[in-house]
């Protein structure tokens, strides 16, 4: 909604600056080619702003939430480990949940 309102404000400012008052129009005796070009440019800008606002206001498709397996929690502990002589010794072992 903000884009539409800002587009309309900008369009009003552009069209208002393109249109001259009647007193300034009567002072010059030229053809209106410049005004026609300015009007065409202003209409194109206004149409582009409104068309862009309408095109960007459509629904946005977003993937639903996905379950991500959390990384395993790991730490190091000192544990008794059996050796090849049928005995035990203490060794630091990585333990994960």
């Amino acid at each position: 909604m903000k884009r539409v309102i800002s587009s309309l404000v900008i369009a009003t400012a552009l069209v208002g600056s393109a249109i001259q008052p009647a007193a300034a129009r009567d002072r010059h005796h030229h053809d209106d080619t410049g005004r026609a070009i300015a009007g065409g440019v202003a209409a194109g800008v206004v149409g582009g702003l409104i068309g862009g606002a309408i095109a960007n206001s459509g629904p946005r498709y977003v993937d639903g939430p996905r379950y991500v397996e959390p990384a395993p929690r790991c730490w190091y502990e000192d544990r008794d480990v059996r050796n090849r002589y049928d005995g035990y010794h203490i060794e630091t072992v990585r333990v994960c949940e």
Side-chain angles (χ1 to χ4, degrees), residues 2-58:
K2 286 183 181 180
R3 287 184 184 178
V4 174
I5 292 173
S6 64
S7 298
L8 291 175
V9 169
I10 291 171
T12 304
L14 289 173
V15 171
S17 65
I19 298 173
Q20 294 180 354
R25 209 176 22 212
D26 295 338
R27 212 173 6 175
H28 302 289
H29 300 287
H30 299 289
D31 59 350
D32 290 334
T33 307
R35 285 194 196 131
I37 292 172
V41 170
V45 169
V46 170
L49 288 173
I50 292 173
I54 290 171
N56 286 331
S57 65

Side-chain angles (χ1 to χ4, degrees), residues 79-83 85-90:
R79 291 204 174 166
D80 289 333
V81 178
R82 181 175 220 135
N83 58 26
Y85 303 111
D86 290 331
Y88 289 93
H89 67 274
I90 295 178

